[in-house]
């Protein structure tokens, strides 16, 4: 598998925020979100080739139960089911961070952490807009993911104008447990995070969604490997 990086930190986002976790960042993502903070992982070849056994050995360097498989977009990797199975075999708790654009059945995944991409992620470059628009949101895939896995839905909110789109998206998916939905401020820096947090907190209170922290930005200003 093409691995961009493996490191130990705290889970920064979602309902497990603050939990010490080993992150396995796989390479490759077909989307081109304009505010993506892992652009270095877009390229499928961005990283080093690891066998699954070597990934598992590397993860075991840290005495930590929680493993987060992220990217890029890990669900496009054909070897993901085997990696998850091998990590489960050593009793890891596995979160998969995904934009929710691909469904894979029967993964031994403890938490499907889904971050559907809204129109606020549309890239500025005209040549990338069509790529993004055609693939960023697949309602049938999202529905399959929430029907088949323990999940959380994390929406990135950039302005108050995003709230109707977020609500329409959850309605279109259907069967969404509101308690599992959170809004996170769109923020590449600590200053941006602190500036947008009160606005997103108000959006959460008005819609009944949870406020999603981004500890990697708050604590380390989004430095790589955190
Ligand atoms: S889906 Fe995630 S990794 Fe891919 S471009 Fe968007 S933010 Fe970046």
């Amino acid at each position: 598998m093409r691995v961009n990086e493996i490191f130990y930190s705290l889970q920064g986002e979602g309902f497990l925020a603050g939990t010490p976790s080993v992150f396995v960042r796989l390479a490759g993502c077909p989307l081109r979100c304009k505010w993506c903070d892992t652009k270095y992982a877009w390229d499928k070849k961005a990283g080093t080739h690891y066998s699954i056994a070597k990934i598992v050995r590397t993860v075991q360097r840290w005495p930590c139960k929680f493993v987060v498989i992220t990217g890029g977009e890990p669900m496009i990797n054909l070897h993901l089911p085997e990696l998850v199975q091998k990590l489960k075999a050593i009793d890891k708790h596995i979160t998969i961070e995904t934009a929710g654009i691909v469904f894979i059945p029967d993964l031994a995944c403890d938490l499907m952490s889904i971050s559907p991409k809204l129109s606020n992620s549309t890239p500025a470059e005209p040549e990338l807009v069509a790529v993004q628009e055609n693939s960023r949101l697949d309602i049938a895939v999202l529905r399959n993911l929430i029907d088949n896995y323990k999940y959380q839905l994390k929406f990135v909110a950039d302005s108050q104008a995003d709230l109707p789109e977020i609500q329409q998206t959850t309605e279109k998916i259907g069967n969404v447990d509101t308690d599992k939905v959170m809004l996170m401020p769109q923020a590449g820096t600590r200053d941006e995070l602190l500036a947008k947090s009160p606005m997103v907190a108000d959006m959460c209170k008005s819609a009944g969604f949870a406020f999603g922290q981004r500890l990697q930005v708050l604590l380390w200003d989004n430095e790589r490997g955190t």
Side-chain angles (χ1 to χ4, degrees), residues 5 7-14 16-19 21 23 25 35-38 40 68 70-71 97 113 115 154 156 182 184-191 193-194 212-226:
E5 54 189 353
F7 58 95
Y8 176 58
S9 188
L10 302 182
Q11 171 59 285
E13 300 177 356
L16 290 174
T19 305
S21 306
F23 290 77
R25 187 181 308 289
W35 37 252
C36 177
D37 55 5
T38 54
Y40 52 84
V68 181
T70 185
E97 299 281 354
S113 178
S115 183
K154 304 185 301 180
V156 174
M182 63 170 52
M184 308 185 298
Q186 192 290 104
T189 65
R190 183 185 294 136
D191 287 347
L193 180 67
L194 293 173
Q213 192 45 265
R214 308 190 86 171
L215 291 178
Q216 74 279 25
V217 183
L218 183 69
L219 297 175
W220 297 293
D221 220 2
N222 236 356
E223 194 179 316
R224 189 167 169 179
T226 60

Side-chain angles (χ1 to χ4, degrees), residues 28-39 41-42 71-73 98-99 101 115 117 121 132:
C29 180
L31 301 186
R32 292 292 179 265
C33 303
K34 77 173 170 206
W35 37 252
C36 177
D37 55 5
T38 54
K39 290 180 177 165
W42 280 357
E73 173 49 72
T98 177
I101 55 173
S115 183
K117 298 301 179 265
S121 68
Q132 176 84 353

